[in-house]
Each structure stands twice: as structure tokens, then as C-alpha cells.
Amino acid sequence: MHGPSRLSNGVKSLSPPTSPRHRHSRNKSTSTTNVGGGGRNFLSDGGGGGGTKLQNVVERLVYLLMSVMYRRRGMLLFAPLLYVSGMLLYMGTLGIDVVNSGSDGSDVIGPGSIYRSPKVFQKLWPFMEAESNRSSNNMLMNAWNPKLSQGWKPCVKQTISQTGFSELPKRNGFLIIEANGGLNQQRLSICDAVAVAGLLNATLVIPIFHLNSVWRDSSKFADIFDEEFFIYALRNQVDVVRELPEHILQQFDNNTSNIVNLRVKAWSSPTYYIQKVLPKLRELGAVRIAPFSNRLAHAVPSNIQGLRCLCNFEALRFSEPIRMLAAKMVDRMVKTSSKSGARYVSVHLRFEEDMVAFSCCIYDGGEEEKHEMDIVRERSWRGKFRRRGRVIKPGANRVDGKCPLTPLEVGMMLRGMGFDNNTSLYVASGKIYKAEKYMAPLKKMFPLLETKETLASPEELTPFMGHSSRLAALDYTVCLHSEVFVTTQGGNFPHFLVGHRRYFYEGHAKTIKPDKRKLVQLFDSPSIRWQDFKRQLQDMLRHSDVKGVELRKPSNSLYMYPTPDCMCRKADL
């Protein structure tokens, strides 16, 4: 006899969130861009009205042709052909993009569309120097307003005990999933798999990690996460086994690839799993779902949501080698932060070569940069950016806040917020594009700058080299324990880290998420006064402070907003 499922009321699947990576629209229709609230149409500059004039001419031409055909009825035979031709011509005129071009090939659509940050830095650097060597203890001690903290505490076990079963029912079969992507994409897949296994009363087999063509990390589950602790932490809620039992495997000729692979749509609802997956699970005794990424909706019953909490924040801890080295690195960061009250700032810097290339943004490297980025785009995405009809607008991307911040811009932002050169700074990143050039000004502004390569010795890092997920786990841990975390580009790393910090810091993310649309305006103002620059950035810091205590909305991810699903107010405990 099969066990029951854990489904309560059915919940409709929510639409998936948009990708953190910029996707260029194929729609060629002209759009206007309002910057700074002035309501200015930048496309009207430099001949923007030409498209309107052309459109009026075509309208009159089509009207004239229709009038002639109406008077000479013999020509009505050609009416459909002429009508279609006229409409295609008319619609074509609506798709004309009229923008000015800069000397570097960028589209100049107004303030912020060109990378001029080095010029602004040259002007403001003397003022930054004048404020150097001050104690940043007060800044790090007062970065966050304690009155905003609402006193949340983790209460995963209480939540599950109130809504789950008092004892585990008979299992309905074995669930095998394949996790793909980088470290935090794998984390998402694992915890959603735990939730689905709980929903279906299935036994979960330790997830298989797909060798991703981008990440190229051959690590297995036990190389990144503590497998034994994972099984133990979930023991009262979900059965987890390292591999399929022999008698089940024999049913499939000792080959897991013979087990039926169910193609589950992204963001599927609990009802879908009960109606489509559960019958197959009971019939066959084991099913596979591969790939298993974003395969469960955000909105699920509270007891299933509790399993996500338990998995992500309690059961899924890093393997011992990662934990040991990460703890040493955190301790070393604290020791280097003696001038700032043993507190430090961490930054997730996304200025790797592939990120710069994918963004299609233009910086200050001229033809050499353009040539290098063209090579990277072709090598990694094979013609994606050369498709017919695709229009790349670096200036529009920058104005819209879609360009990765350079190390220089991150440093300017932090100095403007009040963090001086005594602030210890940890930079989490991959290989920075032209690091010698772009990292120099950041080190100039923050001499106490560290990375995993400087905090750990080559001998300590050797077991992790060539394994991007293990290296990312080191970065993740050091960032988790910082007083201030700065996210600069989005993606799964800050998505999970911000949620983990909320869980860790009583519901407050303690994270700076800059408004990049405003930043590019500031970085394109060579005449700006230092006091005005600081005032606007300190306003941005206060905004991040307020947004740090947000509660989860129905369409939001629990992994980023753990309150109130995974946490309770102190008064309620």
C-alpha cells in the first residue's frame, strides 16, 4: 500500500522570474528612455524626428494608391498585393532606430550612456584622499539602522513539526534528479528536490551533478556538501539514500539511464506533481527528472515550504574541507579588520571576461577591447550576437543599469557612501577582465583589499583549483560573515546569499544593492561636487537599509526572502 502525498490545497504555478542576464529584445520598435525623472526623449536628439516624417510620407503614399484604385476599379485586382506591400513598408518605417553614435561605436542616448567613470574619479580622488586615514569603525558600526530590525529568528523545526507528519509514512518510490549549473543553481535544484520528495512521499537519491559545459566542474555532491549531515538533518522528514537499492536497480538492468525520465515543465505546481508524477512513481517504483532546475513553483503548501527552509538553511552545509578553509579565511579577514572594529565589507564583483562580453557594454579599451569581446562572444555563444536583425545598443544597456560595474565604480560608490581607506574589503569573483588595469584604482581606494587568492596560500587552494563550485563556496562563506555585502550584477550567488544573510542576521540582509540607473548618471558627471556625490550615494545606502528587511511576497523566492516562512518573530517563540 502506498503512502499518502503531502499536498494540501492546490496552488497555481507562478510565472518564472526574468533571467538575471540581459536578453536583447528582437522587437525593433523605437522606445523612449526617461532618465533622472526629466521625461526627456533622448531619441529625439540628433534627428529623431526623421522617422516621424518618413512615416507621414508613407501614410500619404498608401492613401494616394488606395484612392487611385478606388477610382479605377480595374486596378482592384492588384489591391491585395499593393496593400500588403504598403503595410510592410509602413511597418518597416516604425522599426527604424535613430540614435547618435559615439566615436567608439556606442549609441549616445543621453547622460550615462558612455563610460566616463575614470574622468569623474580623477576629479573626486583629491577629496577622497583628504578624507583618508579616518577611522571607519563608526561607519561599519552604523551602516545599518538597528530600529529597522524586526527581531526575526530561525524557526524551521517548529514550522515543520506543526505542519508535517508525526512519523514518516510508507514511501511511494525513489526520486532521482539531476542538478545542473553552478554552485547555487545546484543548491536550488537540491532543495526543490527535497520539497518534491516530501510532497510525493518519495525517497530521494543523492542528486547527480551534471558536468556543465560552462562551469566545467566535475565535483560530486560529497565534494561540495556534507553528504552524511544532509541525510541526518532530513531524517525525520524525507528519506535520503546515497544510491538506489540493488533490487530496484535490477529492475532497470542495473542502469539508471533506463529509468524513465519525466520531462517536467519549469515552475510546475504541486498539483501537477500529484497528478502527473506520482502515478508514474507508484507504477514504476523509481523515476528520474532531468534536468531539474526551476521545476517547482514558488507557491507551495506551508509544510512543503518548510522542507525548502530545512534543506537550504540547515541541512545543506558545505563539506568539511571547504568549511575548514573557509573558517580560516573568515578569521583572517577579521584580523585584518582591526582598524574597523573587526568588521569588513564583501563585494561580489562580476567583471569577468564572459560577463563583460555578454553584456555587450563598451568601456574604455577601444578597438582592442571590441576585438577581444567579439572573440569571446563568438567562442562562448557561437553567432548568438550576429543573428540577422539583432541590434546591440551598449549605451541603452548602460543607461538601463545592465552593464557590470567596474572595480573602479564599486570603489567610488563605497567611498561616496562613507567607507574610507581603513575599511577591509573582500572581493569575491572569478578571473577579472584585465585585472591589472581595472583592479588598480580599487586597491588605491581600499589598500586593505583581499581575495581568496591573497587570504589563502597556494597550497591551501590547490585541492580546489579547477573546481569552480568549490571555489565559489569559499567566496560564499566569507561574504556570508561580512558586516556589509555588496551585490553588483545579480545572479544566483547574491540571490541565495542575500536570503542566507537574512536568515543569519535576524531578517535583515545587510546588503547594498545599488541603483545602477542612478549610478551611471553620477559616473557621467565630471563636474559633480564631492558633497553632492556623497549625498546621493548615502541616500542609496539608506534605501538598501530599508529594503533589507522585506518579507516574501507570493511571487518571490523563499531562498532570497526567508521571512516569514522560515523565521518567526522573537515574541512568538
Side-chain angles (χ1 to χ4, degrees):
M1 180 175 179
H2 297 291
S5 73
R6 293 193 186 181
L7 181 63
S8 59
N9 294 330
V11 183
K12 293 184 179 179
S13 174
L14 297 170
S15 298
T18 56
S19 169
R21 286 190 167 181
H22 172 54
R23 297 180 180 178
H24 298 279
S25 174
R26 294 186 180 181
N27 189 343
K28 295 185 180 180
S29 59
T30 304
S31 61
T32 60
T33 306
N34 293 336
V35 180
R40 179 183 176 191
N41 181 353
F42 291 116
L43 295 184
S44 64
D45 295 344
T52 304
K53 293 178 181 178
L54 183 57
Q55 177 181 329
N56 292 338
V57 170
V58 173
E59 286 177 342
R60 292 174 183 174
L61 180 59
V62 173
Y63 178 77
L64 179 62
L65 288 172
M66 295 301 292
S67 299
V68 171
M69 285 187 294
Y70 180 76
R71 289 172 184 156
R72 300 191 178 185
R73 298 186 180 182
M75 295 183 65
L76 287 176
L77 293 173
F78 299 96
L81 179 61
L82 289 171
Y83 176 77
V84 171
S85 301
M87 288 303 296
L88 287 174
L89 180 60
Y90 174 71
M91 292 174 69
T93 63
L94 293 179
I96 295 176
D97 294 314
V98 184
V99 295
N100 294 334
S101 295
S103 58
D104 58 357
S106 63
D107 47 314
V108 184
I109 61 173
S113 58
I114 296 180
Y115 179 69
R116 293 194 181 98
S117 302
K119 292 183 179 179
V120 179
F121 175 64
Q122 287 177 2
K123 179 180 186 295
L124 298 181
W125 173 241
F127 300 98
M128 295 181 191
E129 275 195 303
E131 295 186 359
S132 294
N133 299 316
R134 297 180 182 178
S135 174
S136 49
N137 186 13
N138 289 336
M139 184 63 225
L140 277 169
M141 291 287 285
N142 300 304
W144 312 114
N145 183 355
K147 294 181 180 179
L148 292 174
S149 178
Q150 299 180 26
W152 292 90
K153 286 288 186 182
C155 61
V156 173
K157 293 179 181 178
Q158 293 95 314
T159 302
I160 293 179
S161 64
Q162 291 170 4
T163 56
F165 290 123
S166 57
E167 61 181 34
L168 293 179
K170 181 178 175 60
R171 293 309 184 187
N172 290 315
F174 292 85
L175 175 65
I176 304 166
I177 68 105
E178 186 177 288
N180 54 0
L183 171 67
N184 293 289
Q185 189 71 21
Q186 291 168 343
R187 181 185 285 269
L188 170 67
S189 298
I190 294 166
C191 292
D192 278 359
V194 168
V196 170
L199 175 69
L200 302 178
N201 285 323
T203 296
L204 178 66
V205 180
I206 287 289
I208 301 167
F209 286 177
H210 174 66
L211 182 60
N212 188 279
S213 60
V214 175
W215 296 99
R216 299 184 181 90
D217 189 340
S218 59
S219 298
K220 302 294 189 292
F221 186 99
D223 296 321
I224 302 173
F225 301 106
D226 188 332
E227 189 173 275
E228 185 175 346
F229 182 79
F230 179 73
I231 296 172
Y232 175 80
L234 295 171
R235 69 193 184 285
N236 293 326
Q237 302 298 328
V238 175
D239 276 340
V240 182
V241 295
R242 288 183 172 85
E243 55 189 18
L244 280 174
E246 188 66 27
H247 71 280
I248 295 292
L249 198 55
Q250 287 177 355
Q251 296 177 22
F252 301 96
D253 298 327
N254 295 309
N255 188 347
T256 55
S257 62
N258 290 334
I259 298 174
V260 63
N261 184 17
L262 303 179
R263 295 293 181 177
V264 176
K265 294 181 180 179
W267 312 105
S268 290
S269 68
T271 303
Y272 176 88
Y273 280 96
I274 294 297
Q275 294 179 349
K276 302 295 184 180
V277 178
L278 184 58
K280 284 290 184 182
L281 181 67
R282 286 172 169 168
E283 176 189 348
L284 302 174
V287 296
R288 283 192 304 138
I289 304 179
F292 191 82
S293 178
N294 299 320
R295 289 301 184 267
L296 181 62
H298 290 316
V300 297
S302 59
N303 60 320
I304 305 304
Q305 206 74 288
L307 292 176
R308 277 173 159 166
C309 299
L310 178 62
C311 173
N312 188 54
F313 299 114
E314 300 291 341
L316 204 57
R317 74 182 189 185
F318 292 126
S319 63
E320 186 175 0
I322 293 174
R323 293 201 317 275
M324 294 286 287
L325 180 55
K328 292 178 182 178
M329 292 169 65
V330 171
D331 186 56
R332 291 165 190 171
M333 273 306 300
V334 169
K335 288 179 179 178
T336 64
S337 308
S338 58
K339 293 183 179 180
S340 54
R343 303 178 184 216
Y344 60 93
V345 176
S346 64
V347 177
H348 185 223
L349 186 59
R350 297 309 313 273
F351 201 69
E352 300 94 344
E353 186 179 68
D354 64 329
M355 282 298 299
V356 176
F358 191 87
S359 71
C360 295
C361 297
I362 295 176
Y363 294 91
D364 57 350
E367 285 299 319
E368 180 182 356
E369 176 190 311
K370 180 180 183 302
H371 178 66
E372 290 173 348
M373 293 299 101
D374 285 343
I375 292 175
V376 174
R377 281 190 282 267
E378 187 59 28
R379 181 181 66 229
S380 301
W381 294 283
R382 301 188 182 279
K384 176 184 178 74
F385 296 91
R386 295 186 293 102
R387 289 175 184 167
R388 186 176 180 181
R390 180 155 197 171
V391 179
I392 296 175
K393 299 179 180 179
N397 290 350
R398 184 167 174 79
V399 168
D400 202 27
K402 292 185 170 68
C403 291
L405 292 179
T406 64
L408 167 68
E409 292 172 326
V410 172
M412 291 170 64
M413 177 186 72
L414 289 174
R415 290 299 292 264
M417 288 178 173
F419 300 96
D420 69 10
N421 65 334
N422 286 322
T423 303
S424 291
L425 188 68
Y426 181 81
V427 175
S429 72
K431 186 179 179 181
I432 298 297
Y433 173 59
K434 295 203 171 185
E436 186 175 350
K437 169 186 174 181
Y438 284 108
M439 287 295 289
L442 181 59
K443 292 177 181 178
K444 186 177 181 179
M445 286 181 275
F446 293 95
L448 301 178
L449 185 149
E450 302 283 358
T451 65
K452 53 182 171 287
E453 290 79 13
T454 62
L455 274 184
S457 68
E459 292 76 21
E460 288 174 318
L461 287 175
T462 296
F464 304 92
M465 300 308 293
H467 301 285
S468 58
S469 291
R470 298 185 215 180
L471 291 170
L474 296 175
D475 278 338
Y476 188 98
T477 306
V478 180
C479 290
L480 177 62
H481 292 279
S482 64
E483 176 64 17
V484 175
F485 172 63
V486 183
T487 173
T488 63
Q489 187 64 18
N492 283 319
F493 186 99
H495 180 96
F496 276 84
L497 185 64
V498 167
H500 212 145
R501 286 173 66 83
R502 284 191 169 106
Y503 190 80
F504 201 73
Y505 293 113
E506 298 187 357
H508 197 306
K510 292 191 174 184
T511 296
I512 296 173
K513 185 179 180 181
D515 185 336
K516 291 165 66 176
R517 292 184 179 90
K518 291 182 180 178
L519 278 182
V520 297
Q521 302 285 324
L522 289 175
F523 295 151
D524 196 14
S525 305
S527 61
I528 192 169
R529 295 172 63 249
W530 174 237
Q531 294 301 323
D532 292 336
F533 185 82
K534 287 201 304 180
R535 176 179 51 79
Q536 294 194 53
L537 284 167
Q538 286 164 7
D539 286 344
M540 200 175 292
L541 174 59
R542 282 190 288 271
H543 181 73
S544 289
D545 192 5
V546 173
K547 299 291 283 185
V549 292
E550 284 186 294
L551 303 185
R552 189 180 75 86
K553 299 174 183 176
S555 59
N556 289 341
S557 164
L558 171 145
Y559 304 117
M560 190 173 190
Y561 301 95
T563 50
D565 302 86
C566 312
M567 306 181 76
C568 306
R569 293 187 188 275
K570 291 181 182 178
D572 298 332
L573 292 176

